[in-house]
Amino acid sequence: KSRTKGSQAVVSTQSTGGEPIREIAAEVGLEVDEPGTAVIDHMNYDVADTGNHVLIVAGDFTSTEVIVGASPSPVLFHGVGMAADSENPLVIDILRASDTAYSHSPDQDILEYPLAIGSSLLLVAGMQARNNARVVVFGSHDMLSDKLYNAQAQTVASTTSQEAGNRGFVSAVADWALKRNGDLRFSAIKHNKVGEEPSDAAYRITDDVEYSIIIEEMRSGKWAPFQAKDVQVEFVRIDPFVRLFLVPDSAGNFKVSFKVPDVYGVFQFKVDYDRTGYTHLFSTTQVSVRPFRHTEYERFIPSAYPYYASAFSMMGGVIVFSFLFLYHKDTKPAAKTE
Amino acid sequence: MSSPSISDVGSRLFQEYTTKTPQKLKLIDAYLGYIMATGVIQFVYCCLVGTFPFNSFLSGFISTVASFILGVCLRIQVNPSNSIIFKNISVERAFADFIFAHGVLHLVVLNFIG
């Protein structure tokens, strides 16, 4: 079942980019710097730079592998920078500028504080909305060009050059943006009392239940079993009474079994999985939990044995006493003393 | 005459009791003592262990208390020195009442003990 409404977008702009693209970026929480500005880095510019230090080598990637791949190589960038509100929980900073970078027009004196500097300045940024649709904005057209795909990256400070990581990086990010990577879906939620088939009957307190859900992940355009160790299920009646990790098998079937708490009421099995770069999975299944029936309590309570004993001893005492009382023969009482 | 002290009263009471009390009444007194002992043991147990299950505790404890009361009633009615008050109640009648009341008591106790 697809969790996404809406569609995906991959957008790129540059220093001379026009207003419509800037407005699209602003809609998703990214403020692109003004026309004419560029990302300038006087310490990490490439050896092929023409003098303004705007062709830079950037290597500060997000740690989310599903977006940028396992270990991306530094990329060449020549474009405009973006800033996002640090409190925006939906924006993902995919490629940040290095600590020595800033965003400003290369031709003008710096008279006021730039839009952003250092690692707050974003070169490539993405956003996953609450409907799981994704948008990525690249701040540089050139970064996507054949010229930079085939170029070598070497900062002025280093003596070795390596192949620019643009091709791999851009493919990975575009795959993520277009949902060929990092999309999740769930199916086949099953819950039942251990040893029984699933049924509509209510569970009882202190029953053993097992819950399973199948989660699949889109990898390179194909659905494959999802293998994560941090998916949790909660057993919630307003507050969670139980919260456990689900254990996946190789087919993507996530399972756990637990004992229903000693509380009756209407509960929900909740799976709420929200990780950077993955779609937000949310599923609830409502079940009832009933208390013990009259016949399901233990018959004799061990801590009450003394009371049982006393009740029966009273009965026994009456019987013994009655025998003695009835068959008692009075012996003459002692003579009264005067 | 010096006024009698507590120990004087106590020893006089004990002496009168052992010599003048009919054996039948002493029998009832022994029975009552046994009932009181089981009642006290139960109560102490409940204080130590807690009141779960409360209905069982109440049932067991009330069983001892009620048996004690019925025994006391029997003793009063059977005591020859009280025969003036209980003119129309023979010893047999008193005992029959005692047994009937015990029947009802144990029925209720077994129901409530859970």
Side-chain angles (χ1 to χ4, degrees), chain A residues 43-291:
Chain A
M43 316 286 272
N44 289 321
Y45 61 93
D46 188 63
V47 290
D49 179 70
T50 51
N52 277 334
H53 301 172
V54 291
L55 177 64
I56 58 178
V57 178
D60 191 4
F61 301 98
T62 174
S63 53
T64 311
E65 283 183 15
V66 72
I67 303 177
V68 295
S71 34
S73 332
V75 295
L76 287 168
F77 181 91
H78 173 30
V80 67
M82 300 175 274
D85 187 354
S86 60
E87 311 221 342
N88 186 337
L90 305 176
V91 165
I92 305 169
D93 40 353
I94 297 176
L95 177 61
R96 298 173 283 258
S98 66
D99 290 337
T100 48
Y102 62 96
S103 172
H104 201 268
S105 166
D107 310 318
Q108 293 171 1
D109 293 341
I110 300 178
L111 298 172
E112 49 181 38
Y113 199 84
L115 173 70
I117 59 174
S119 53
S120 318
L121 181 60
L122 304 178
L123 309 177
V124 178
M127 197 274 276
Q128 179 170 286
R130 294 193 198 278
N131 66 351
N132 291 323
R134 294 173 180 163
V135 177
V136 168
V137 180
F138 290 90
S140 159
H141 284 334
D142 288 343
M143 174 176 208
L144 315 169
S145 67
D146 281 346
K147 186 172 119 212
L148 290 192
Y149 266 29
N150 297 322
Q152 297 279 341
Q154 180 182 1
T155 59
V156 279
S158 81
T159 47
T160 53
S161 77
Q162 52 183 272
E163 217 177 291
N166 290 46
R167 180 178 277 122
F169 170 72
V170 173
S171 309
V173 173
D175 274 353
W176 176 80
L178 299 172
K179 297 212 145 207
R180 294 187 72 240
N181 266 338
D183 196 8
L184 294 177
R185 67 178 181 190
F186 63 84
S187 55
I189 294 174
K190 191 167 99 124
H191 57 88
N192 55 284
K193 196 166 155 190
V194 169
E196 290 180 9
E197 289 301 307
S199 80
D200 284 332
Y203 293 115
R204 195 204 66 196
I205 59 175
T206 68
D207 262 352
D208 289 309
V209 297
E210 50 189 17
Y211 174 87
S212 70
I213 182 174
I214 294 183
I215 304 181
E216 288 166 297
E217 173 192 13
M218 176 85 93
R219 250 183 253 149
S220 310
K222 291 201 185 33
W223 288 108
F226 188 47
Q227 302 285 319
K229 302 253 188 329
D230 60 350
V231 185
Q232 288 180 322
V233 66
E234 295 178 331
F235 197 56
V236 177
R237 186 195 76 171
I238 304 175
D239 299 308
F241 281 76
V242 176
R243 185 185 284 142
L244 293 170
F245 283 106
L246 288 163
V247 177
D249 66 12
S250 51
N253 198 3
F254 285 74
K255 268 200 223 203
V256 77
S257 53
F258 59 91
K259 207 184 222 333
V260 170
D262 200 0
V263 177
Y264 60 88
V266 177
F267 286 81
Q268 291 178 325
F269 288 102
K270 262 199 198 152
V271 173
D272 187 358
Y273 190 70
D274 193 8
R275 299 284 180 275
T276 311
Y278 288 100
T279 50
H280 177 213
L281 278 186
F282 185 75
S283 125
T284 72
T285 318
Q286 186 166 297
V287 294
S288 312
V289 173
R290 64 166 176 86

Side-chain angles (χ1 to χ4, degrees), chain B residues 77-78 82-97:
Chain B
Q77 291 181 338
V78 153
N82 292 342
S83 56
I84 308 162
I85 311 170
F86 296 109
K87 270 196 293 257
N88 4 335
I89 303 179
S90 62
V91 170
E92 289 75 21
R93 167 75 199 275
F95 184 73
D97 283 345

